[in-house]
Amino acid sequence: MHTIRPLCAQVNSSLLTSDCSELCCCSASTGLSCHPTACPSGQVCKLQEGVRSCQPAHGLCSITVGANLTTFDGAYNAISSPGVYELSSLCPGIQKPVPWYRVVADVQSCDGNDKIVDKVHIFFEDGLVTVTRSNGVWVNGLRADLPANVLTSVSVKRLPDGSMLVQQEGGVQVQLGIDGHLDVIVGDDHEAILCGACGNFDGDKTNDKFGSEGNTSMEKWEAQDFSPCFLPTVGDMDDDGVYDGCLLGENGGSCGGKAGKSRWQKLGSTGEMGSHRDRGLEEWWVK
């Protein structure tokens, strides 16, 4: 995805670039000059009657600080429990009129504060992008420098307000703010073919189901491949969490060789692992 700058057609005029990432001004003295900008949360960059501008998004699903969710069609629900939730994807069995995607949000409550989206995992046909509020971006498990065209049809950049924006050429945008506010935006060609907590985007908010038999629980949309009850069976891992899988390797190298639980307990207590004697496995938390 490439940004195209406008040509100076008229002095003292201003125009947005092709993706609304820059505002360019034309002056008689300096010619064309551009500075970074971005569409506000809940708006998308559109070309309307020959003029490019930020317009309210039609297909917008949001999770606010406090974990209140609004579906594409305007239904409301509160996420009562921290967890990892299926927000939106193409429904199974749907012929693909648009590129496949899947958005999974990790909702956390840290230090007794309001529940927020701490990170979001976005699956595409050609890879996985993980965006965090404060620890950057990972592409297929590797940290990425920004801005970047991270996959064939996907770009990621940091906006002037510090939020992260992931854009797919197929019309999907995911924006995660540093405050934990999350927006998922889809194009009109995604109508009535979507599944997930964000709803089916068919214009009828009454059929956006969060649970069975009218139950508003979000349990129905917990992501099964991110089970919060998973606990490793090897190592002194008393705290819930996800650790770098390399530590559980059977072979040598950086994985430390084959090790049973007593070995991990020894490493954790003697300071052989981590930068401090009392850290144990904390160094290997997946950020």
Side-chain angles (χ1 to χ4, degrees):
M1 302 177 69
H2 302 286
T3 298
I4 301 175
R5 288 183 169 179
L7 298 176
C8 264
Q10 184 176 351
V11 176
N12 297 326
S13 63
S14 60
L15 294 170
L16 288 166
T17 54
S18 59
D19 59 356
C20 297
S21 64
E22 292 179 301
L23 180 65
C24 297
C25 301
C26 300
S27 70
S29 58
T30 62
L32 181 68
S33 60
C34 300
H35 62 271
T37 187
C39 291
S41 177
Q43 295 191 9
V44 294
C45 186
K46 288 186 176 181
L47 185 64
Q48 189 171 14
E49 297 181 355
V51 178
R52 192 169 299 279
S53 61
C54 295
Q55 301 289 333
H58 175 43
L60 170 65
C61 174
S62 296
I63 299 179
T64 64
V65 175
N68 295 303
L69 182 145
T70 305
T71 70
F72 294 125
D73 294 324
Y76 298 95
N77 192 30
I79 301 176
S80 59
S81 301
V84 184
Y85 296 95
E86 300 272 3
L87 290 191
S88 184
S89 66
L90 295 187
C91 292
I94 294 290
Q95 292 185 350
K96 299 178 181 178
V98 293
W100 179 84
Y101 77 97
R102 176 191 179 209
V103 179
V104 177
D106 187 347
V107 178
Q108 299 290 339
S109 178
C110 299
D111 301 323
N113 295 321
D114 286 337
K115 292 183 292 295
I116 57 173
V117 177
D118 184 61
K119 63 179 67 71
V120 57
H121 308 282
I122 314 157
F123 298 80
F124 300 102
E125 291 178 337
D126 53 348
L128 165 65
V129 177
T130 297
V131 177
T132 69
R133 292 187 303 116
S134 56
N135 287 317
V137 175
W138 278 259
V139 180
N140 294 330
L142 299 176
R143 191 157 190 161
D145 295 326
L146 298 180
N149 293 320
V150 295
L151 299 171
T152 303
S153 60
V154 179
S155 66
V156 184
K157 61 184 175 182
R158 190 186 299 274
L159 301 181
D161 65 358
S163 60
M164 296 287 193
L165 176 64
V166 181
Q167 292 179 294
Q168 181 200 45
E169 288 183 355
V172 176
Q173 297 184 31
V174 179
Q175 183 172 333
L176 178 61
I178 58 176
D179 60 351
H181 179 105
L182 177 69
D183 286 336
V184 180
I185 300 172
V186 297
D188 293 346
D189 49 1
H190 291 72
E191 290 183 353
I193 59 173
L194 302 181
C195 288
C198 282
N200 57 12
F201 190 34
D202 68 346
D204 181 4
K205 67 180 180 181
T206 64
N207 61 17
D208 287 342
K209 304 297 184 182
F210 299 106
S212 59
E213 298 179 356
N215 185 0
T216 59
S217 170
M218 286 285 290
E219 291 181 3
K220 173 181 179 180
W221 298 116
E222 288 182 348
Q224 298 302 307
D225 50 343
F226 290 87
S227 172
C229 295
F230 171 76
L231 293 176
T233 57
V234 178
D236 184 21
M237 301 179 180
D238 294 330
D239 294 329
D240 293 350
V242 180
Y243 296 87
D244 194 318
C246 184
L247 292 175
L248 303 182
E250 293 290 332
N251 301 314
S254 61
C255 292
K258 188 174 182 179
K261 183 171 182 178
S262 61
R263 171 65 172 161
W264 291 119
Q265 288 175 331
K266 180 180 180 183
L267 290 175
S269 61
T270 62
E272 293 178 46
M273 179 179 294
S275 56
H276 302 286
R277 289 178 60 88
D278 59 350
R279 288 191 65 186
L281 285 168
E282 290 179 14
E283 181 181 3
W284 301 103
W285 275 90
V286 174
K287 300 294 194 296

